[in-house]
Amino acid sequence: MLNKIFSILVFIGVPISVVGSLLNWSSILMFAIYCLTIVALSSFMGRATESLAVVMGPRVGGLLNATFGNAVELLISIFSIKAGLIGVVLASLTGSVIGNLLLVAGLSFFVGGIKYKRQRFNVYDARHNAGLLVFAVVVAFVIPEIFSQNMTDAETMSLSVGISIIMIVLYLAALLFKLVTHRGVYQHQDKNSEANEQEETPEWTRKKSLIILLLATIAVGYISENLVHTFHVVGEYFGWTELFIGIIIVAIVGNAAEHASAVLFAYKNKMEIVVEIAIGSTLQISMFVAPLLVLISLLFPESMPLVFTLPELTAMITSVFLIIILSNDGETNWFEGATLLAAYIIMGIGFYLL
Amino acid sequence: MLNKIFSILVFIGVPISVVGSLLNWSSILMFAIYCLTIVALSSFMGRATESLAVVMGPRVGGLLNATFGNAVELLISIFSIKAGLIGVVLASLTGSVIGNLLLVAGLSFFVGGIKYKRQRFNVYDARHNAGLLVFAVVVAFVIPEIFSQNMTDAETMSLSVGISIIMIVLYLAALLFKLVTHRGVYQHQDKNSEANEQEETPEWTRKKSLIILLLATIAVGYISENLVHTFHVVGEYFGWTELFIGIIIVAIVGNAAEHASAVLFAYKNKMEIVVEIAIGSTLQISMFVAPLLVLISLLFPESMPLVFTLPELTAMITSVFLIIILSNDGETNWFEGATLLAAYIIMGIGFYLL
Amino acid sequence: MLNKIFSILVFIGVPISVVGSLLNWSSILMFAIYCLTIVALSSFMGRATESLAVVMGPRVGGLLNATFGNAVELLISIFSIKAGLIGVVLASLTGSVIGNLLLVAGLSFFVGGIKYKRQRFNVYDARHNAGLLVFAVVVAFVIPEIFSQNMTDAETMSLSVGISIIMIVLYLAALLFKLVTHRGVYQHQDKNSEANEQEETPEWTRKKSLIILLLATIAVGYISENLVHTFHVVGEYFGWTELFIGIIIVAIVGNAAEHASAVLFAYKNKMEIVVEIAIGSTLQISMFVAPLLVLISLLFPESMPLVFTLPELTAMITSVFLIIILSNDGETNWFEGATLLAAYIIMGIGFYLL
C-alpha cells in the first residue's frame, strides 16, 4: 500500500521537480514538492538497501546505506564551501550528527519499541561505536574549539588540518579493524539472528537493487541542490533563520533516506542495521566527511576550520553522551527512543530561537 | 533506643517550635530547635515509609518517599518565587540535586558498605536512571545555559518554557514506562530479594503509616517555612552567604527525611530503595519540580528561566557523571560512598567560598 | 639482544652524562645523550619491576612502578615551584596525565593488540579506576577552574588547599580499600592468570631487583635534573614553546620508564600490570602528587593553586572520558590503542601550536 503511494510519488514527483525548477515555479510550492519527492525516493533507497542487506549481511548493508546517504551531503557541502558559506556547512554537519543520533535513532527505537518490548543488538558494536563517538566529538571537535581561543586564524587552520588528517587515518583504521583484522571476532552472540537472515529472500536482486540505489541517489542529488535554493525564500516566509534551516530542515530532508530505512529496519527488529545507520552514519559524517571537507576547503579561497559555534558543539557533545548512556547495554525500548526524541525537540527549539 | 530519643524530640520539639516562632525567640536558638525537630520528624517519616515499603513493594515505597520529601520543597520554592527570590530557588534546586546524588547516596553507600562488603541493586534500574540523569542535567539544563548567551530574556524564557513542557511530558512517560508498559520486565534478577521482603512484617500498619506520614509532612512543612526566616540572621551570625545557605543548609535540612530513611535502608541492605530515594528523588526534582516551577513562575510578575549559574550547573553535571560511573555496575561499597561524600565536601567548600 | 644494547647504553651513557654536564658540552648534544640514557635506564627499571612483579604479584608490582616513576617527577616539580615556575609544574602534571592515559596506555594496547586479538584485564579494577578518574579530574580539577572565576586569589588558594587535603585523604582511603578491606574481593575472575604467574621464574632476585631499581632511580633523577636545564636552548633551537616542552617532552622522557615497562608487559599479555601502570600512575599523579604539591607550595613565596589553563583541563577531561569508554569493558585491542594514540597526537599538535 505505502509502497504503491511512494511509487506514484516518485514517478510524478521527479518529472514535476525537473519541470518546476526549469520553469521557476513558486519556491514555497517547489519546496513542498521537492521534500515529498525526496521522501518517496528515500523509500526506494531503503528498500534497495534492505534487499542488499539480505544478500550481503547487515554490516555491508548498513555501510552502503550510510555511504549513499552521505554522498549527497558531501556534494552539497562542497558547493556550499565554494560559495563561501562556511557557517552553513558546519551547521549542516551539526544537523547531521544530532539528526542521526537523536532523530533517526530516537524514531527507530520508539517505533521498534512499540512493537517489541526489548530490542537487542551487538553490545560489542555499541562499545566500539561509543569509543569512536567520544574520540570524534568529545576529543577531536572539542580540542580545536578550546585551543583556537588563544590562536591566530592560521594556527587554527593548521590545527584543523592536522586533526583532519588524523581523523581520516583513524577512520580508515576503523574499517581495517572491522572488516579485516577483527571481522567476526565479536560476532558469536548474534549467530542466531544472522542465521535467520539467511533464510529471508530479498525483494529485489542485487543488480536491480544497485541500479535503483544509483538512480535514486542521482535523483535525490539533483533535487537536493534545487531544494537548497528555495531555503532563502522559505526561511523568510516561515520566519526561520538560516542556522535553523541548516541544522534542522536540511538534516531532516537530507537524511530522509536513512530515517526511512532505519525505522523500517527497527520495525522488523533488525537493530544491528538500525545502529549501523544511525551511529555508523554519524561516525562517517564526523570522522570522514567533516575532516575531508576541511582538507578540500584548502583548495578554495575561504578555508574551513574545524571550529563549530558553541551551541553547535554543545548540542553534539550532549547528544553523544545521551546516545552512549542509552545504547551501551546493547538494548533499546520505546522509552529510550522517546528520550532521544525529547532531546532532539529541545535542541530544535533552541536552534529555532537562536 | 534511637527511636525513643527521636520520639521524645518530636513530642518536645514540635510544640516548642510553635511556641518559639509565635513568641519570636532568638533566631539562632530557634534555628537549632527547628533543625533538630525536623531531623526527628524525618526519622518518623523514614519508619512510616519503611513500613509502607514492606507492604507495597520497594518501588512504590521509594516513590512515596521521594514525593513526600519533595512536596515540602515545591511549596517553599513557590513562596520564594512569589517573593521574587529566583536565585534562591535555583540554588536550592541545585542543592537538592547534589545533596541527593552525593550526600544521600554517599552516606548510604558508606554506612551500608561498612556493614556489607558488596551491596547490589538492580542494574537495569541503574541504567534507566543514568539515561534520565544525562537527559535532565546534561541535555535539558545545559542547552538553555549555553544557548541563552546569545538570546534575549524573552527568547530565553520561551526556550525554558518549551524545555519544561518536554521534561514534564517525558517524566510522565517515564512513569508510564516503569509502572505500566515495562512493569516487572527488568525484574527477574531480584526475585530472591523480593521474596525475602514478603516475609518481613511491617512496624506499622498501612493506615497508621499513612497517618504518621501525613502528620509529619505537615509538621515538617510548618517548621521548614519558619526555618527559612531564620536564615538571614543565622547567615550573618556564621558568615554564610545566601547562596551557601540555599545550596548546602536548605538541602541538608530540607532533605533530612530522605537522608535518614536512605541510610536506614542501606544499613538493612535494601539498596533498591536507597537508589530510588537518592536518584529517583533527583530525577523528580530535575524533571518535574524544576520545570513545574518554571511554568508556575509565569503566573508571577518575575518569571524564572531554566538558567543556573555556571558553578551550580558545573556542580550538577560533575555529580551526575560521578554517580553514573559509580553506580552503573549495580554494586556499591564503602569506598564509593566515601568518593561521593568527598565530592560533596569539595563542592561545599566551593559554594562556601563563592 | 635489545637488553644488551640497553646495557651498553647505560654503561656508556651514565658516565658521559656526568662528564658532559660538568664540562658544559653543547646542550643539543647533551639533550640527545640524556634522553637515550634515560630510556636505557628505563629498560633496567622495567626489568627490575617485572622481576618484582613476578615475586610480589601484579598489584604491588604496578604500585612500585608507578611510585618509582612519580618520585622523580615529584622532586623535579618541587625544584620548579621553588624557582617560581608554577605554570611549568601544572603543565608537566597535565603532561603526565595525558601521557599516561593516552600515550602509555595507547602504545601498550596497540603493541599488545598486534600480538593478541583480544586482551583482557580485571573489569572491577577498570570500574574502580574509572570512578577515581572522574572524581579526580572531572570533579576535583573542574570545580576550582569554574568557581575561581568569581573568586579572589586568596579564596582560590583556600579552595585549592581544601580540595587537596580531601584528595589525599581519599587517595589513602583508596589504598586502604584496595590493600586491606577489599583485598582479593574482586579477584575471582583472574585466578588462572595469577596461577600462571606463580610458575614463572623472575629474571633477577628480589634483592637484586630492588638494588637496580634504586640505583637506576637515582641515575634517572640526576640526569633528569640536568635534562631540564637543556630545555631552554633546545626549545629555541627546535622552535618549541616552554608549554609544549612541559606537557609533551618532559612527560615522554620523564615517564619513559613507565612507557617501556608497560609496553613490555602488554607484549607479554599481562594487562593487569599495564592498567596499573598507565591508570594507576595517572591516579597517583592527580590524587596524590598534584595535591601534595599544592600543600608543599604553601612553604614557598609563590603558592600554587589547583587551577589549570583551559586547554590543559580540556585535554585531561577528554582523555579521561576516552580511556573510560575504551577500558570499562575490561578488554583492549590494537584499534583501541590506535584511538588513544590518535587523541595524543591531536593534543600534541594543539599544544605545539598554542
Side-chain angles (χ1 to χ4, degrees):
Chain A
M1 226 319 264
L2 198 69
N3 282 347
K4 269 199 183 157
I5 295 175
F6 281 138
S7 297
I8 294 167
L9 261 175
V10 163
F11 290 115
I12 296 179
V14 174
I16 287 191
S17 295
V18 176
V19 172
S21 67
L22 293 177
L23 299 183
N24 287 318
W25 291 1
S26 142
S27 288
I28 310 295
L29 175 69
M30 290 315 297
F31 175 78
I33 292 173
Y34 291 149
C35 288
L36 277 174
T37 311
I38 288 180
V39 172
L41 283 165
S42 304
S43 124
F44 271 80
M45 291 178 76
R47 285 158 68 195
T49 320
E50 203 187 350
S51 297
L52 285 174
V54 172
V55 184
M56 300 164 81
R59 273 153 203 259
V60 179
L63 200 67
L64 273 173
N65 196 303
T67 308
F68 278 93
N70 292 325
V72 175
E73 208 150 353
L74 188 62
L75 283 171
I76 297 180
S77 295
I78 292 174
F79 286 121
S80 301
I81 291 176
K82 198 180 159 194
L85 302 167
I86 303 295
V88 171
V89 174
L90 289 168
S92 84
L93 289 171
T94 304
S96 288
V97 168
I98 66 171
N100 278 306
L101 290 184
L102 302 182
L103 185 58
V104 177
L107 216 55
S108 304
F109 292 178
F110 186 79
V111 169
I114 294 294
K115 197 170 167 197
Y116 304 93
K117 260 210 160 52
R118 298 165 78 170
Q119 295 190 293
R120 291 187 183 78
F121 54 92
N122 190 328
V123 77
Y124 291 107
D125 275 2
R127 286 176 191 158
H128 177 77
N129 288 334
L132 286 174
L133 281 176
V134 169
F135 172 80
V137 176
V138 178
V139 175
F141 286 176
V142 168
I143 294 293
E145 184 88 11
I146 302 292
F147 282 53
S148 68
Q149 290 176 7
N150 305 315
M151 282 182 176
T152 63
D153 282 359
E155 286 169 341
T156 301
M157 203 56 218
S158 300
L159 179 59
S160 301
V161 169
I163 293 178
S164 297
I165 292 170
I166 293 162
M167 291 183 91
I168 292 173
V169 170
L170 195 69
Y171 182 73
L172 297 177
L175 291 182
L176 180 73
F177 176 80
K178 221 169 163 180
L179 300 176
V180 183
T181 74
H182 283 62
R183 183 189 180 89
V185 170
Y186 299 110
Q187 286 287 312
H188 46 82
Q189 290 196 325
D190 47 2
K191 273 253 168 81
N192 287 329
S193 63
E194 279 197 64
N196 289 336
E197 279 160 32
Q198 303 304 345
E199 295 161 22
E200 277 185 272
T201 45
E203 186 187 358
W204 296 326
T205 63
R206 184 194 291 217
K207 200 177 161 189
K208 189 176 175 189
S209 301
L210 283 173
I211 291 170
I212 289 175
L213 208 50
L214 190 72
L215 289 179
T217 304
I218 292 170
V220 167
Y222 173 80
I223 297 177
S224 295
E225 215 192 326
N226 286 301
L227 181 71
V228 169
H229 294 121
T230 66
F231 284 157
H232 188 69
V233 177
V234 170
E236 278 194 351
Y237 189 82
F238 289 106
W240 296 339
T241 63
E242 295 227 340
L243 183 76
F244 179 73
I245 294 181
I247 294 182
I248 304 297
I249 306 298
V250 171
I252 290 179
V253 177
N255 291 307
E258 293 164 284
H259 294 216
S261 48
V263 173
L264 213 67
F265 285 122
Y267 194 73
K268 298 192 174 182
N269 205 19
K270 297 186 181 172
M271 299 311 284
E272 310 281 298
I273 313 181
V274 171
V275 169
E276 189 62 44
I277 294 174
I279 303 187
S281 176
T282 305
L283 288 172
Q284 208 180 35
I285 289 281
S286 53
M287 291 189 69
F288 188 73
V289 175
L292 195 62
L293 287 170
V294 169
L295 298 183
I296 289 173
S297 81
L298 294 174
L299 305 173
F300 294 102
E302 201 178 336
S303 51
M304 184 178 90
L306 203 58
V307 178
F308 294 88
T309 67
L310 195 55
E312 287 169 352
L313 188 65
T314 306
M316 286 191 282
I317 294 175
T318 57
S319 302
V320 164
F321 280 124
L322 192 60
I323 193 84
I324 286 179
I325 210 81
L326 292 182
S327 73
N328 74 351
D329 57 353
E331 264 201 51
T332 65
N333 54 53
W334 71 262
F335 183 70
E336 294 190 352
T339 306
L340 292 169
L341 290 174
Y344 189 72
I345 297 171
I346 285 178
M347 291 180 194
I349 298 174
F351 283 115
Y352 177 76
L353 290 170
L354 213 61
Chain B
M1 226 319 265
L2 197 70
N3 282 348
K4 270 201 181 156
I5 295 174
F6 281 138
S7 297
I8 295 167
L9 259 175
V10 164
F11 288 114
I12 296 179
V14 174
I16 287 189
S17 296
V18 176
V19 173
S21 67
L22 293 176
L23 298 184
N24 286 320
W25 292 0
S26 143
S27 289
I28 310 296
L29 176 70
M30 291 314 297
F31 175 78
I33 292 173
Y34 291 149
C35 287
L36 278 174
T37 313
I38 288 180
V39 172
L41 282 165
S42 305
S43 124
F44 271 80
M45 293 177 76
R47 285 158 67 195
T49 320
E50 201 188 350
S51 297
L52 284 174
V54 173
V55 185
M56 301 164 81
R59 272 155 203 257
V60 179
L63 201 66
L64 273 173
N65 197 304
T67 307
F68 278 93
N70 292 327
V72 175
E73 206 151 355
L74 187 62
L75 283 172
I76 297 179
S77 295
I78 292 175
F79 286 120
S80 301
I81 291 177
K82 199 180 157 195
L85 302 167
I86 303 296
V88 172
V89 174
L90 290 169
S92 84
L93 288 171
T94 304
S96 288
V97 168
I98 67 171
N100 278 305
L101 290 184
L102 303 181
L103 185 59
V104 178
L107 217 55
S108 304
F109 292 178
F110 186 78
V111 170
I114 294 294
K115 199 170 164 195
Y116 304 93
K117 261 212 159 52
R118 297 165 77 171
Q119 296 190 294
R120 292 187 183 79
F121 55 92
N122 190 327
V123 76
Y124 291 108
D125 276 1
R127 286 176 191 158
H128 177 76
N129 288 334
L132 286 174
L133 280 176
V134 170
F135 172 78
V137 176
V138 178
V139 176
F141 287 176
V142 168
I143 293 293
E145 185 88 10
I146 302 293
F147 282 53
S148 68
Q149 290 175 6
N150 304 317
M151 282 183 177
T152 64
D153 283 358
E155 286 169 342
T156 302
M157 203 57 220
S158 300
L159 178 59
S160 301
V161 169
I163 292 178
S164 297
I165 293 170
I166 293 162
M167 290 183 92
I168 292 173
V169 170
L170 194 71
Y171 183 72
L172 298 177
L175 291 182
L176 180 74
F177 176 81
K178 220 169 165 181
L179 301 176
V180 182
T181 73
H182 283 61
R183 183 190 180 89
V185 169
Y186 299 110
Q187 286 287 314
H188 46 81
Q189 289 197 323
D190 47 4
K191 272 257 168 80
N192 288 329
S193 63
E194 279 197 65
N196 289 337
E197 280 160 32
Q198 303 303 344
E199 295 161 21
E200 277 185 272
T201 47
E203 185 187 358
W204 297 325
T205 63
R206 182 194 294 215
K207 200 178 161 189
K208 190 176 174 187
S209 302
L210 283 173
I211 291 171
I212 288 174
L213 207 52
L214 190 70
L215 289 179
T217 303
I218 293 171
V220 167
Y222 173 81
I223 297 176
S224 296
E225 215 192 326
N226 286 299
L227 181 72
V228 170
H229 294 122
T230 67
F231 284 157
H232 188 69
V233 177
V234 170
E236 278 194 351
Y237 190 81
F238 289 105
W240 296 340
T241 63
E242 294 227 341
L243 183 77
F244 179 72
I245 294 180
I247 292 183
I248 304 296
I249 307 298
V250 170
I252 290 179
V253 177
N255 292 308
E258 294 164 282
H259 294 216
S261 47
V263 173
L264 214 67
F265 284 122
Y267 194 73
K268 298 190 174 182
N269 206 17
K270 297 185 180 172
M271 299 311 284
E272 310 281 297
I273 315 182
V274 171
V275 169
E276 188 63 43
I277 294 174
I279 302 185
S281 177
T282 305
L283 288 173
Q284 208 179 34
I285 290 281
S286 55
M287 291 190 67
F288 189 72
V289 174
L292 195 62
L293 286 171
V294 170
L295 298 183
I296 289 173
S297 80
L298 294 174
L299 305 173
F300 294 101
E302 201 178 334
S303 51
M304 184 178 90
L306 203 58
V307 178
F308 295 88
T309 66
L310 195 56
E312 287 169 353
L313 189 64
T314 305
M316 287 192 282
I317 294 175
T318 56
S319 302
V320 163
F321 280 124
L322 192 59
I323 193 85
I324 287 179
I325 209 82
L326 292 182
S327 73
N328 75 352
D329 57 353
E331 264 201 50
T332 65
N333 53 53
W334 72 262
F335 183 69
E336 294 189 353
T339 307
L340 291 168
L341 290 174
Y344 189 72
I345 297 171
I346 286 177
M347 292 180 193
I349 298 174
F351 284 115
Y352 177 77
L353 290 170
L354 212 61
Chain C
M1 230 312 269
L2 198 69
N3 282 347
K4 269 200 183 157
I5 295 175
F6 281 137
S7 297
I8 295 166
L9 260 174
V10 163
F11 290 113
I12 296 178
V14 174
I16 287 190
S17 297
V18 176
V19 172
S21 66
L22 293 176
L23 298 184
N24 288 319
W25 291 1
S26 144
S27 289
I28 309 295
L29 175 70
M30 290 315 295
F31 175 78
I33 292 172
Y34 291 149
C35 287
L36 277 173
T37 312
I38 288 180
V39 172
L41 282 164
S42 303
S43 124
F44 272 79
M45 292 177 76
R47 284 158 69 194
T49 320
E50 202 188 351
S51 297
L52 284 174
V54 172
V55 185
M56 300 164 81
R59 272 154 203 260
V60 179
L63 201 66
L64 273 173
N65 196 303
T67 306
F68 278 93
N70 292 327
V72 175
E73 206 150 355
L74 187 63
L75 284 170
I76 296 179
S77 295
I78 292 175
F79 287 121
S80 301
I81 291 177
K82 199 179 158 195
L85 302 167
I86 304 296
V88 171
V89 175
L90 290 169
S92 83
L93 289 172
T94 303
S96 288
V97 168
I98 66 171
N100 279 305
L101 291 184
L102 303 182
L103 185 58
V104 178
L107 217 54
S108 304
F109 293 178
F110 186 79
V111 170
I114 294 295
K115 195 169 166 198
Y116 303 93
K117 261 213 158 52
R118 298 165 77 171
Q119 295 189 294
R120 291 188 182 80
F121 55 92
N122 190 325
V123 77
Y124 290 108
D125 276 1
R127 285 177 191 158
H128 177 76
N129 288 335
L132 286 174
L133 281 176
V134 170
F135 172 79
V137 176
V138 178
V139 176
F141 287 176
V142 168
I143 294 293
E145 184 89 9
I146 302 292
F147 282 53
S148 68
Q149 289 176 7
N150 304 315
M151 282 182 177
T152 63
D153 282 359
E155 286 170 341
T156 301
M157 203 56 218
S158 300
L159 179 59
S160 301
V161 170
I163 292 177
S164 297
I165 293 169
I166 293 163
M167 291 183 91
I168 292 173
V169 170
L170 195 69
Y171 182 72
L172 298 176
L175 291 182
L176 181 74
F177 176 80
K178 220 169 165 180
L179 301 176
V180 184
T181 74
H182 283 62
R183 184 190 179 88
V185 169
Y186 299 109
Q187 285 287 315
H188 47 81
Q189 289 196 324
D190 47 3
K191 274 253 168 81
N192 287 330
S193 63
E194 279 196 65
N196 288 337
E197 280 161 32
Q198 302 303 344
E199 294 160 23
E200 277 185 271
T201 45
E203 185 186 358
W204 298 325
T205 64
R206 182 194 293 217
K207 200 177 160 189
K208 189 175 174 189
S209 301
L210 283 173
I211 290 170
I212 287 175
L213 208 51
L214 190 71
L215 289 179
T217 304
I218 292 171
V220 167
Y222 173 81
I223 297 176
S224 296
E225 216 193 324
N226 285 301
L227 180 72
V228 169
H229 295 122
T230 66
F231 284 158
H232 187 70
V233 177
V234 170
E236 277 194 352
Y237 189 82
F238 289 106
W240 296 339
T241 63
E242 295 227 340
L243 184 76
F244 179 72
I245 294 180
I247 293 183
I248 304 298
I249 306 298
V250 171
I252 289 180
V253 177
N255 292 307
E258 295 163 282
H259 295 216
S261 47
V263 173
L264 214 65
F265 285 122
Y267 194 72
K268 298 190 174 182
N269 205 18
K270 297 185 182 174
M271 298 311 284
E272 311 280 299
I273 315 182
V274 171
V275 169
E276 189 62 44
I277 294 175
I279 302 187
S281 176
T282 305
L283 288 173
Q284 209 179 35
I285 289 281
S286 54
M287 292 191 67
F288 188 73
V289 174
L292 195 63
L293 287 171
V294 169
L295 298 183
I296 289 172
S297 80
L298 294 174
L299 306 172
F300 295 102
E302 201 178 334
S303 51
M304 183 178 91
L306 203 58
V307 178
F308 295 88
T309 66
L310 195 56
E312 286 168 353
L313 189 64
T314 306
M316 286 191 282
I317 294 175
T318 56
S319 302
V320 163
F321 280 124
L322 192 59
I323 192 86
I324 287 179
I325 210 80
L326 292 182
S327 73
N328 74 351
D329 57 353
E331 264 201 50
T332 66
N333 53 54
W334 72 261
F335 183 70
E336 294 190 353
T339 306
L340 291 168
L341 290 174
Y344 189 73
I345 298 171
I346 285 178
M347 292 179 193
I349 298 174
F351 284 115
Y352 177 78
L353 290 170
L354 212 61

